[in-house]
Amino acid sequence: MGMGDVSINSERLWRRLMAMAEIGATPGGGSHRLTLTDEDEAGRQLFLGWCAERGYDVQYDQVGNIFVRRAGGNNNTQPLAIGSHLDTQPRGGRFDGILGVLAALEVLETLDDNEIETDMPVDIVVWTNEEGSRFQPAMMGSGVHCGVHSLEMVRSTLDDKGLSVGAELDRFGYSQGLVPGARAIGQYLELHIEQGPVLEDSGTVIGAVKGGQAIRWYELSLQGQETHAGPVPMAQRRDPMPALARVIDLVYQVGLQDEAARSTIGVLTARPGSINVMPGRIDLTVDLRHPLETRLKEMDAAFQAGLDDLQAAERKIAISLEEIWHSPVVLFDHALTEAVRQSATGRGLPVQDVISGAGHDAFHMARAVPSALVFVPCRDGLSHNEAEYTSPEHAAAGANVLLDVALRVACAR
Ligand SMILES: [Zn+2]
């Protein structure tokens, strides 16, 4: 069976995307299915109903990850798993995550429709809480599966109403499931909307994701001494605000060193926060990213050297910097990613290599087993938004690429 000989049913895929979007539908045309809510569970049950029509074996684990299996000829081999997530952001979109799950179902059903027996089993995985909106951290289910987070830790995580992940897992019966990680996966594929404008801008249909950015997060504080805005002469004040101006300039200089670099100040607090009080302390966060680990290290060094220079020049304030998180660069499997490119080329779909600027469950999986991530365009690069849209043609193109790669991987003997 060669690539492109069979194709998924694009009309069925679109119909199901639209049916799923009805659960938690929002007035602005999006979906609202926060993780482990009644709406999220209803979405899972709709999906499982479609799986039941085909008689696929279904299991779940204690963090609520769902595993659907289409058996192969040799079920002692570890499966190829294709997955993503069904939860959404608040007033989120209809495609982020959902496309990956329903395209995976298309792959299994297309194998059935064409009476193709694979050698290894082919699984669908629905990961719990990819979005990280109601409960943090994001990519929770895949993180627990891969041993990055403990089940105990995530069970004790609370939402803003004080409800725990554990209580919600118990409520839906997931706590009766398999021990997380017990379900082996040999290789992993994921289709996702790009969530950025690169593919649309270049007229490309398929993004072969080479990797994900390396990320460093910092907390930075500038300590001075608060005082009344009027009585103290400027030269005698210990005001951290002029130093903040230089810090902001430094951070964005670091991020503008080359096109692939990113720098962001996302949180900024001046205390006590009163119009006639000079702040005694300013706290801010800094997020630095680059797809090359060595370049991120250079950005880190430039940032720290710039702060040292600033501290030498501004003796009246104390600058302190703490790195609070480092996520190393993620690299996807060369052979699987090459199969993605070949499938796209074989189907006449424009393809280009891209770097993922957002996190995905595939990041956790890529550190554990050979994995590939496939992107399709989304209109105006919009996601986490009710207006998020990918066309039926692009959704089908992505699902067909998954199908081709699955045929190549799972039929190899
Ligand atoms: Zn997603």
Side-chain angles (χ1 to χ4, degrees), residues 177-200:
L178 300 168
V179 172
R183 180 82 177 211
I185 291 174
Q187 299 180 70
Y188 180 75
L189 291 178
E190 182 165 351
L191 170 66
H192 206 281
I193 58 168
E194 182 199 356
Q195 303 183 274
V198 173
L199 296 178
E200 187 176 61

Side-chain angles (χ1 to χ4, degrees), residues 84-85 87 95-98 130-131 190-193 195 358-361 383-384 388:
S84 201
H85 60 96
D87 65 318
F95 302 93
D96 173 353
I98 298 100
E130 192 277 342
E131 294 292 359
E190 182 165 351
L191 170 66
H192 206 281
I193 58 168
Q195 303 183 274
H360 293 287
D361 295 308
S383 73
H384 292 188
E388 178 185 285

Side-chain angles (χ1 to χ4, degrees), residues 40-271:
D40 186 25
E41 181 61 16
R44 288 159 167 252
Q45 292 304 327
L46 178 65
F47 165 73
L48 289 173
W50 292 324
C51 295
E53 288 172 19
R54 295 283 181 163
Y56 299 138
D57 178 63
V58 175
Q59 290 194 307
Y60 54 90
D61 71 14
Q62 291 166 13
V63 72
N65 295 322
I66 297 173
F67 301 87
V68 176
R69 170 156 299 182
R70 182 178 185 271
N74 177 4
N75 292 301
N76 295 320
T77 53
Q78 293 193 344
L80 168 70
I82 313 174
S84 201
H85 60 96
L86 291 173
D87 65 318
T88 75
Q89 288 284 326
R91 276 175 281 108
R94 298 173 291 171
F95 302 93
D96 173 353
I98 298 100
L99 174 62
V101 172
L102 298 183
L105 178 58
E106 267 306 317
V107 171
L108 269 62
E109 297 203 75
T110 302
L111 295 173
D112 276 355
D113 293 344
N114 291 276
E115 296 174 5
I116 296 167
E117 187 191 38
T118 58
D119 182 39
M120 65 180 68
V122 181
D123 288 4
I124 307 169
V125 192
V126 180
W127 301 111
T128 298
N129 188 22
E130 192 277 342
E131 294 292 359
S133 175
R134 182 183 178 200
F135 298 109
Q136 292 82 46
M139 298 171 268
M140 182 182 274
S142 53
V144 172
H145 174 87
C146 292
V148 175
H149 311 300
S150 73
L151 180 62
E152 294 67 38
M153 187 277 280
V154 303
R155 279 185 62 88
S156 65
T157 305
L158 304 179
D159 71 2
D160 58 13
K161 294 188 183 70
L163 284 164
S164 71
V165 168
E168 297 293 55
L169 288 169
D170 294 348
R171 182 161 78 93
F172 294 116
Y174 291 113
S175 307
Q176 319 297 322
L178 300 168
V179 172
R183 180 82 177 211
I185 291 174
Q187 299 180 70
Y188 180 75
L189 291 178
E190 182 165 351
L191 170 66
H192 206 281
I193 58 168
E194 182 199 356
Q195 303 183 274
V198 173
L199 296 178
E200 187 176 61
D201 286 353
S202 64
T204 306
V205 176
I206 298 296
V209 185
K210 290 183 70 177
Q213 295 163 327
I215 305 168
R216 287 177 191 259
W217 281 358
Y218 309 84
E219 285 175 351
L220 196 155
S221 75
L222 305 170
Q223 180 76 52
Q225 187 174 46
E226 65 195 57
T227 187
H228 193 297
V232 184
M234 293 298 276
Q236 288 173 37
R237 305 192 334 182
R238 292 177 57 210
D239 187 348
M241 201 56 84
L244 173 68
R246 300 224 219 147
V247 168
I248 293 172
D249 197 37
L250 170 66
V251 168
Y252 288 92
Q253 275 174 25
V254 166
L256 288 166
Q257 283 177 356
D258 72 67
E259 245 187 51
R262 304 282 186 271
S263 63
T264 303
I265 295 172
V267 179
L268 181 57
T269 318
R271 289 165 219 280

